[in-house]
Amino acid sequence: MKTIEHWINGSPTAGTSPETAPVFNPATGQEQARVALASAADVDTAVTAATAAFETWSESSLTQRTQVMFAFRQLLVEHEEELGRIISAEHGKTVDDARGEITRGREVVEFACGLGDVLKGSFSDQVSRGVDVHNFRQPLGVVAGITPFNFPAMVPLWMHPIAIATGNTFILKPSERNPSAANFVAGLYKRAGLPDGVFNVVHGGKEAVDAILTHSGVEAVSFVGSTPIARYVHETATAHGKRVQALGGAKNHAVVLPDADLEFAANHITAGAYGSAGERCMAVSVAVAVGTAADGLVEILERKAGEVKVGPGDVPGIEMGPLVTKASQERVENAVGTAATQGATVVVDGRGLKIDGHESGFFTGPSLLDHVTTEMDAYKEELFGPVLAVVRVDSLDEAIGVINANPYGNGTALFTGSGEAARRFQRNVKVGMIGVNVPVPVPMSYYSFGGWKDSLIGDSPIHGPEGIRFYTRPKVVTTRWPQPKQQVTAGFNFPTSS
């Protein structure tokens, strides 16, 4: 049985802990590898390597850093298919979907390639007689990322390219459910010319996480995952003096108005709800049907859910693969049963799906629930699976009220032909990322990603301008260069611009 090791100081490292965890192929249900679980000592080894590497990497030129990023970006292009198949084999998503996440992650690398312009400071001449002021930003030191299973390439790529390009060194703790993508990316960085120790990978569970959160040598931590763990990460890391990005869970609503093209809306909502088996923090899990749009929308959603092609992610033409674990499969299917018990109409029932030749795989089909109320578990809980709940309301204002009353505020969408309705919606919803006739409004890399309310703990979104701010700290320099024989009188009052 293959054992997936850590990547520390430029090479695979077994670590000191004998503990391992299984890595499954979700399409077959079979264990395909073991992954080493790091001890606190292993995390310390990674921090030591990253600390030593920071001494030289932080002094490297912007040209050197961007050259590495350009080379790394090209390697991601050349090895997209191979990395996509690695992701599919451990996550279950289709290879096409995996390639899509690599592409979106690569956009952040492209943003990092242009950091020479983004990092330019400002200069103010003659703020006082003979006095100038300028500012610039410097890296923090050793920073870390703790990332979820659902995007083993993209979410880490939201973090480490910006951290590294701004002069930091990085330690990644990926999900132990699908660890191989992180090691593959580490190998690409090495081939791109990144010095040893600048990018490190430690695999593990809670012991590794706690070691990162409390280690005195780690300056900042980025996290994406569930809201309860995001709160834990934020509280623990900030208590130990670290900066924290902590992105939590979501319950994303897509509102459909009667004037919308229902076929268009249903097509995009279906993809947003069932793509990647619903294991996305930006998945559409609630369709809010307004007024007379409801019956027609549900009819089309039922048809489209039945057309979704489910099967192993490496088979051409498949649109939705299995869930990541057996426990996830059972949790999602139990949620459909609970919804029926609580009064929802199960329009499409994905439970009990068996795929020929993959009977032990963690498959469940798309499920569509109608007449869901905001008191039902299917609405309140983040199911993280291919379940779409339809909530019926009478007006756009009522739909906005439903969204604003939800504790999450990650993403939302509106399908309409009305510019007035769209403007009212985007101004009044308490959500961080909004799509208009776009079901999954993930911003481009030069904007920042982050929700409101329980979807973002603290105040630090990820990548884009906020990513630059998070991984650097500013310095403001006030200078005076008097002539050698000139006498400058010092004042005892508070300095002004006079």
Side-chain angles (χ1 to χ4, degrees), residues 244-292:
V244 185
Q245 289 173 323
L247 281 66
K251 197 71 179 179
N252 304 312
H253 303 68
V255 178
V256 182
L257 296 186
D259 70 342
D261 181 329
L262 295 186
E263 187 78 20
F264 175 87
N267 190 49
H268 285 277
I269 290 171
T270 298
Y274 304 130
S276 197
E279 294 174 318
R280 294 171 173 165
C281 65
M282 293 297 285
V284 176
S285 54
V286 180
V288 184
V290 178
T292 57

Side-chain angles (χ1 to χ4, degrees), residues 71 134 224 361 397 436 490 494:
H134 70 277
V224 176
D397 288 339
V436 176
F494 193 83

Side-chain angles (χ1 to χ4, degrees), residues 1-312:
M1 180 70 66
K2 171 186 174 184
T3 298
I4 300 163
E5 298 182 328
H6 316 293
W7 181 282
I8 298 175
N9 206 24
S11 62
T13 305
T16 61
S17 172
E19 297 296 321
T20 63
V23 178
F24 289 93
N25 182 330
T28 65
Q30 302 301 309
E31 182 178 336
Q32 59 180 328
R34 307 288 297 184
V35 59
L37 300 180
S39 65
D42 296 323
V43 171
D44 184 66
T45 299
V47 173
T48 300
T51 301
F54 178 74
E55 294 300 316
T56 52
W57 182 247
S58 62
E59 294 297 324
S60 61
S61 67
L62 279 171
T63 299
Q64 180 184 353
R65 293 184 224 155
T66 54
Q67 284 175 342
V68 168
M69 285 297 150
F70 274 110
F72 176 59
R73 183 257 177 208
Q74 183 60 34
L75 288 168
L76 283 173
V77 172
E78 294 172 2
H79 295 276
E80 182 180 283
E81 178 73 17
E82 185 178 358
L83 181 54
R85 291 190 176 278
I86 289 170
I87 293 168
S88 177
E90 292 184 350
H91 175 280
K93 66 175 64 178
T94 67
V95 175
D96 282 346
D97 194 16
R99 285 197 294 255
E101 77 159 276
I102 296 165
T103 299
R104 292 309 304 267
R106 194 173 67 233
E107 290 169 359
V108 180
V109 182
E110 292 163 357
F111 176 70
C113 288
L115 281 194
D117 181 68
V118 177
L119 285 177
K120 287 191 300 187
S122 59
F123 183 91
S124 296
D125 174 69
Q126 197 74 351
V127 298
S128 185
R129 294 191 182 190
V131 177
D132 306 323
V133 177
H134 70 277
N135 71 338
F136 61 98
R137 305 191 72 89
Q138 289 185 311
L140 303 178
V142 179
V143 298
I146 302 169
T147 56
F149 74 87
N150 58 330
F151 288 102
M154 185 183 74
V155 171
L157 282 165
W158 285 356
M159 302 172 183
H160 52 73
I162 295 177
I164 291 170
T166 51
N168 300 279
T169 54
F170 198 89
I171 297 171
L172 174 62
K173 206 300 288 182
S175 170
E176 63 275 22
R177 296 177 185 176
N178 42 15
S180 294
N183 286 27
F184 188 84
V185 166
L188 295 185
Y189 263 131
K190 188 176 182 70
R191 291 175 57 186
L194 190 69
D196 292 346
V198 177
F199 180 75
N200 307 273
V201 180
V202 291
H203 302 290
K206 189 174 186 301
E207 182 178 357
V209 169
D210 286 345
I212 290 170
L213 300 181
T214 60
H215 199 292
S216 60
V218 175
E219 299 291 337
V221 177
S222 301
F223 172 84
V224 176
S226 69
T227 293
I229 305 303
R231 290 191 189 281
Y232 174 79
V233 166
H234 189 271
E235 292 169 3
T236 305
T238 53
H240 286 81
K242 306 182 194 316
R243 290 188 179 186
V244 185
Q245 289 173 323
L247 281 66
K251 197 71 179 179
N252 304 312
H253 303 68
V255 178
V256 182
L257 296 186
D259 70 342
D261 181 329
L262 295 186
E263 187 78 20
F264 175 87
N267 190 49
H268 285 277
I269 290 171
T270 298
Y274 304 130
S276 197
E279 294 174 318
R280 294 171 173 165
C281 65
M282 293 297 285
V284 176
S285 54
V286 180
V288 184
V290 178
T292 57
D295 288 343
L297 178 66
V298 171
E299 180 181 344
I300 302 171
L301 287 172
E302 178 181 9
R303 169 169 52 85
K304 291 187 177 296
E307 294 171 352
V308 176
K309 299 180 179 64
V310 184

Side-chain angles (χ1 to χ4, degrees), residues 276-359:
S276 197
E279 294 174 318
R280 294 171 173 165
C281 65
M282 293 297 285
V284 176
S285 54
V286 180
V288 184
V290 178
T292 57
D295 288 343
L297 178 66
V298 171
E299 180 181 344
I300 302 171
L301 287 172
E302 178 181 9
R303 169 169 52 85
K304 291 187 177 296
E307 294 171 352
V308 176
K309 299 180 179 64
V310 184
D314 59 353
V315 174
I318 292 297
E319 297 170 315
M320 190 182 102
L323 291 167
V324 68
T325 64
K326 182 68 174 177
S328 297
Q329 178 196 36
E330 293 173 348
R331 175 178 48 76
V332 168
E333 296 197 347
N334 288 340
V336 175
T338 299
T341 301
Q342 293 179 341
T345 302
V346 181
V347 180
V348 178
D349 192 342
R351 292 175 293 178
L353 177 67
K354 296 296 181 184
I355 303 297
D356 290 342
H358 294 76
E359 287 80 6

Side-chain angles (χ1 to χ4, degrees), residues 388-399:
L388 176 62
V390 178
V391 174
R392 297 177 178 234
V393 298
D394 294 328
S395 67
L396 174 59
D397 288 339
E398 186 179 351

